[in-house]
């Protein structure tokens, strides 16, 4: 509520009548072009926001693999699962403000020109 997202969502519903006017058949090429661009941008944003988690998780799992190869008697699952859970929560605590600001900037950019 503090970001004004509810107002932005309502404004987008009003703007959606530019893409899909009432009582007219929508132009398929325009919808396809807008949809393709938005899907590409949304996947790019999703991978950008998930990158710290993917990178650190891959490094941590590689480290656990080396530890397991060097010391097979250690129960890596008992050590690995709690640490990866705590690590991901700590990483979320550190990255959440930046991730939210990037996400809000992307939403504002989308709402300023939704049909590009």
């Amino acid at each position: 509520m503090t970001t004004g997202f509810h107002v932005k969502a309502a404004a987008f519903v009003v703007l959606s009548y530019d893409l899909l006017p009432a009582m007219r058949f929508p132009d398929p090429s325009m919808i396809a072009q807008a949809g393709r661009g938005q899907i590409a941008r949304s996947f790019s944003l999703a991978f950008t926001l998930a990158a710290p988690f993917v990178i650190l998780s891959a490094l941590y799992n590689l480290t656990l693999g080396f530890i397991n190869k060097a010391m097979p008697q250690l129960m890596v699952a008992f050590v690995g699962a709690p640490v990866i859970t705590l690590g991901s929560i700590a990483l979320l605590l550190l990255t959440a403000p930046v991730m939210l600001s990037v996400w809000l900037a992307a939403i504002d950019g989308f709402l300023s020109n939704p049909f590009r």
Side-chain angles (χ1 to χ4, degrees), residues 21-96:
M23 304 302 290
R24 282 197 357 217
F25 193 71
D27 182 21
S29 65
M30 186 173 151
I31 292 174
Q33 181 182 3
R36 186 175 41 246
Q38 290 305 324
I39 288 171
R41 281 189 282 283
S42 66
F43 271 96
S44 172
L45 179 64
F47 288 131
T48 301
L49 295 178
F53 297 96
V54 172
I55 291 169
L56 287 178
S57 178
L59 289 174
Y60 183 70
N61 284 321
L62 282 172
T63 304
L64 281 181
F66 288 130
I67 290 171
N68 192 28
K69 193 70 167 172
M71 195 169 41
Q73 68 272 18
L74 176 67
M75 298 291 287
V76 176
F78 289 127
V79 175
V83 172
I84 195 72
T85 303
L86 179 64
S88 61
I89 291 173
L91 184 62
L92 181 63
L93 178 72
L94 293 173
T95 59

Side-chain angles (χ1 to χ4, degrees), residues 5-6 16 22 35 52 81 85 88 109:
F5 184 71
H6 60 292
S16 70
T85 303
S88 61

